[in-house]
Amino acid sequence: TEFKLTDHLPTKQKFPHLKAFEVDELVNYGLAGQNAPSIQMTGVHLEPNDYHAKMAEKDTVIIDVRNHYESVIGHFTPPPNGAQLIDPKMRKSTEFPLWLDKPETKKLLQNKQVLMYCTGGVRCERASALLRTKMETEADVKDLNIKGVYQLQGGVDKYFKNFPEGGYWKGKNYTFDKRFAHAPPLLEVEERYNKKMSETTPPDSKDVPEKKNDDNDDNSNHNIMGKCEACSKPWDMYRGKRRCPTCGVPSLICKSCFEKDKSGVCKLGKHIKCTLCREENITSKKQVKER
């Protein structure tokens, strides 16, 4: 993958220090040591323009190898009659090998060319290497007749630089730094401009449509993919330290619900869970561990 630099960040979003330390796995798939697939087995690295073109091809699937809570606020939406997007619905990367071994997953990959993508390209290195290793060493995966494995060079980060208007991307790209999440560059500029105009334009101006909901002051409804887990309002900003009480992933809670919780007007109880726990009817931490 590529080493990336992010310039012009506000002071509050910059890291104060650079730390380097040794780990068994750069991305924890639970495949360290002898179980680790060779990095020489990675998929074909496609530059953003080539990857963009591939997403329009038939008999193609796109695997989002990020966690579900990342995908829920933004992901690729291939064109009609193009590739099929697959969300493995993982809470953490160690679930990927298990998902790959499921019969229903293998059925989705049969006779298809497989595309993968992640935030910056690192997770795809291991995920594509694992799939290609299985294609050569496991008979049932060989029989799937997979037409090729490809990955997005530089990840969504580099795709945004080549398609600043978004291309086939919808929503925001979740990041593990202090940016939290960001939209494609041109949409970010548009969002900042609209926010500035709403703050500087007099309330009685006839040129500005009436604001219907002031709860979204810092989160425009434009291309919002996620929803607040408490009130279901369109929302795509992970803030605060609250996590799903059953599985522990970050909670997607809007500003209004956070403020109501803080003031005691409406507390965020244990019944407020992530979308995945609700979908899978997970009611306890024990259920998550047993999966």
Side-chain angles (χ1 to χ4, degrees):
T1 189
E2 300 177 352
F3 189 85
K4 293 170 286 296
L5 293 174
T6 303
D7 298 319
H8 310 301
L9 284 177
T11 302
K12 291 183 179 180
Q13 292 184 7
K14 296 178 181 179
F15 286 115
H17 308 290
L18 173 65
K19 295 181 180 180
F21 50 92
E22 183 179 355
V23 294
D24 291 330
E25 297 182 83
L26 190 57
V27 180
N28 183 16
Y29 277 95
L31 298 171
Q34 294 182 345
N35 294 323
S38 171
I39 202 69
Q40 305 301 321
M41 294 293 291
T42 59
V44 177
H45 294 66
L46 295 179
E47 292 295 330
N49 287 335
D50 297 324
Y51 194 93
H52 182 84
K54 269 256 188 263
M55 285 193 283
E57 295 181 6
K58 295 181 179 179
D59 298 321
T60 302
V61 295
I62 306 174
I63 302 176
D64 186 341
V65 301
R66 304 172 303 154
N67 299 313
H68 180 67
Y69 65 85
E70 300 172 66
S71 182
V72 79
I73 66 168
H75 51 256
F76 282 117
T77 55
N81 301 316
Q84 174 190 357
L85 178 68
I86 301 175
D87 176 8
K89 297 187 176 180
M90 301 179 291
R91 291 175 174 83
K92 51 187 178 181
S93 293
T94 49
E95 296 177 3
F96 183 77
L98 299 174
W99 175 80
L100 205 54
D101 285 339
K102 290 181 177 180
E104 52 267 38
T105 300
K106 293 174 181 178
K107 187 175 181 180
L108 289 171
L109 306 186
Q110 190 168 16
N111 299 318
K112 299 291 195 298
Q113 56 180 353
V114 178
L115 308 184
M116 295 183 178
Y117 76 91
C118 58
T119 309
V122 177
R123 282 177 278 188
C124 285
E125 299 284 6
R126 305 212 69 207
S128 65
L130 178 61
L131 176 56
R132 289 198 62 231
T133 298
K134 288 179 175 291
M135 288 166 59
E136 291 196 3
T137 61
E138 299 180 10
D140 61 335
V141 181
K142 282 184 183 179
D143 292 341
L144 294 179
N145 192 34
I146 293 174
K147 304 296 185 182
V149 180
Y150 306 87
Q151 63 190 76
L152 177 57
Q153 176 70 7
V156 179
D157 183 81
K158 189 171 184 180
Y159 185 87
F160 280 4
K161 292 174 183 176
N162 283 260
F163 294 90
E165 80 294 345
Y168 290 138
W169 182 270
K170 290 292 178 63
K172 290 186 177 178
N173 181 34
Y174 182 96
T175 62
F176 291 90
D177 55 33
K178 294 183 180 181
R179 290 174 296 169
F180 301 107
H182 62 99
L186 290 182
L187 298 186
E188 286 266 287
V189 171
E190 180 184 340
E191 190 173 299
R192 287 196 295 268
Y193 174 79
N194 289 338
K195 182 179 179 181
K196 184 177 180 180
M197 290 301 294
S198 68
E199 292 172 347
T200 57
T201 305
D204 58 349
S205 173
K206 296 181 180 179
D207 297 328
V208 179
E210 183 181 353
K211 199 174 187 180
K212 295 182 180 179
N213 191 344
D214 61 3
D215 288 338
N216 281 333
D217 281 351
D218 55 347
N219 198 10
S220 163
N221 279 333
H222 181 64
N223 275 338
I224 292 180
M225 305 292 285
K227 292 182 179 180
C228 172
E229 293 165 9
C231 69
S232 297
K233 176 170 52 190
W235 195 259
D236 59 10
M237 298 171 68
Y238 286 98
R239 292 291 186 271
K241 296 181 179 180
R242 188 185 191 276
R243 291 182 172 269
C244 175
T246 48
C247 73
V249 302
S251 289
L252 188 58
I253 305 294
C254 73
K255 179 181 178 181
S256 175
C257 287
F258 256 133
E259 290 177 345
K260 289 177 182 177
D261 176 71
K262 186 177 181 179
S263 65
V265 173
C266 185
K267 300 298 290 182
L268 297 170
K270 291 185 177 181
H271 65 287
I272 306 298
K273 299 179 291 187
C274 71
T275 56
L276 203 50
C277 280
R278 291 203 306 270
E279 181 181 315
E280 297 176 344
N281 197 29
I282 300 293
T283 58
S284 69
K285 294 179 180 179
K286 182 180 179 181
Q287 283 179 279
V288 177
K289 292 180 180 179
E290 291 175 348
R291 291 177 71 254

